[in-house]
Amino acid sequence: MAGVTVVGAGVIGLSVAHELAGAGHRVRILAAQDAAASTSGVAAAIWFPHDVQRSGSVLDSAAVTYKRFEELAGDPRTGVAMRAGTVLSRRTDADHSWTRAVPHHEPADPAGLPGGAGGVRCTVPLIQTDVYLAWLRAEVEARGVEIRTAEVRSLPEDCDAVVVAAGLRSAELLGDDDQAYPIRGQVVRLANPGLTEWITDEDNPEGLAYVVPRRHDVVCGGTGEAGSWDRTVDPEVEAGILRRVTALVPELAGQPILSRGVGLRPARSTVRVEAVPGHSRPVFACYGHGGAGFTLSWGDAARVAALIGAG
């Protein structure tokens, strides 16, 4: 098969195109906006299966992606680094199934955690989104993939196969899915006072909190408002985020704000990676990754490539 069109140029669409081109297909990408302008560009982009059902296939894809990012971390051009940090647990029934996809992890020392909290220490990939997405796009183009800016309103006809990897727009394009929905995520980026370790606190009684230090800033979040399409920055929400993250990491107090952002995570009851029947040519879905687009990107791209086969 030749002539595969990938709809979507976020981290999922670019990864799928990369793997399909590597399998010998002639590939093009159609997307209304560049990856940097998509939800992928707003993400904190730390490896973790957030806002996604942690099924066996999801954890398998997460493990594949972990290994790929671990390899890419050896090349500074990619913007990928391996960073140590802590996943806080405030419930006795906390879901630690994700640790299956992490080669090394251990219980966190309670002495360094908020009262009553436990945690898991591990080292995971951290992706500098602007650097990585630019690198990935260049790699995709080097494989002969054409990237075209276009407002896609229906499945393209002028190709042999289509992969729909358009995030929240995917369900609309396919017209057969009522299980997709947005999860609004708001972040604030602070100057980095020298932090290298990340921390996540999904069960914080005041709301979701995470601190993800990057090269020149710290991504602080966040929110998880299911069903909200609001892309505007809410000052009151930001104030709450800053209270939570400075309580977790006091070194952040007083750090200047560098930028703000809101992204709509493309969530679904389950991640959809499958052939879609009922079309005149092969159509494949790859969307519904919630807050785990980077975390599942290489694994799910490989799954799509396996579904389509060699070119």
Side-chain angles (χ1 to χ4, degrees), residues 3-184:
V4 182
T5 294
V6 177
V7 181
V11 68
I12 298 296
L14 287 172
S15 302
V16 168
H18 184 281
E19 298 301 270
L20 289 176
H25 294 280
R26 182 165 45 85
V27 184
R28 73 172 176 180
I29 293 174
L30 298 180
Q33 57 188 1
D34 184 78
S38 70
T39 299
S40 295
V42 179
I46 187 170
W47 182 101
F48 192 76
H50 179 62
D51 276 342
V52 68
Q53 184 187 53
R54 294 169 189 170
S55 64
S57 59
V58 162
L59 295 178
D60 288 345
S61 282
V64 169
T65 306
Y66 184 107
K67 291 177 182 176
R68 179 71 72 90
F69 278 139
E70 191 173 36
E71 295 168 358
L72 292 176
D75 182 350
R77 298 175 303 167
T78 66
V80 180
M82 302 300 293
R83 292 283 182 87
T86 304
V87 178
L88 289 185
S89 302
R90 294 177 183 263
R91 304 195 323 263
T92 56
D93 62 343
D95 178 7
H96 290 159
S97 61
W98 57 272
T99 58
R100 169 185 127 186
V102 179
H104 306 289
H105 54 85
E106 61 185 10
D109 181 356
L113 305 179
V120 177
R121 291 275 304 167
C122 56
T123 297
V124 301
L126 172 63
I127 298 93
Q128 183 83 24
T129 52
D130 54 347
V131 177
Y132 177 74
L133 292 171
W135 172 86
L136 182 55
R137 178 183 174 117
E139 288 292 303
V140 165
E141 290 178 322
R143 290 189 168 209
V145 176
E146 175 192 5
I147 301 178
R148 186 184 306 175
T149 302
E151 186 69 42
V152 182
R153 301 185 183 279
S154 60
L155 297 182
E157 299 284 348
D158 58 339
C159 55
D160 298 323
V162 180
V163 179
V164 179
L168 281 171
R169 290 215 55 227
S170 299
E172 176 188 345
L173 286 170
L174 288 169
D176 68 343
D177 186 2
D178 60 0
Q179 300 180 52
Y181 59 95
I183 298 179
R184 180 182 180 277

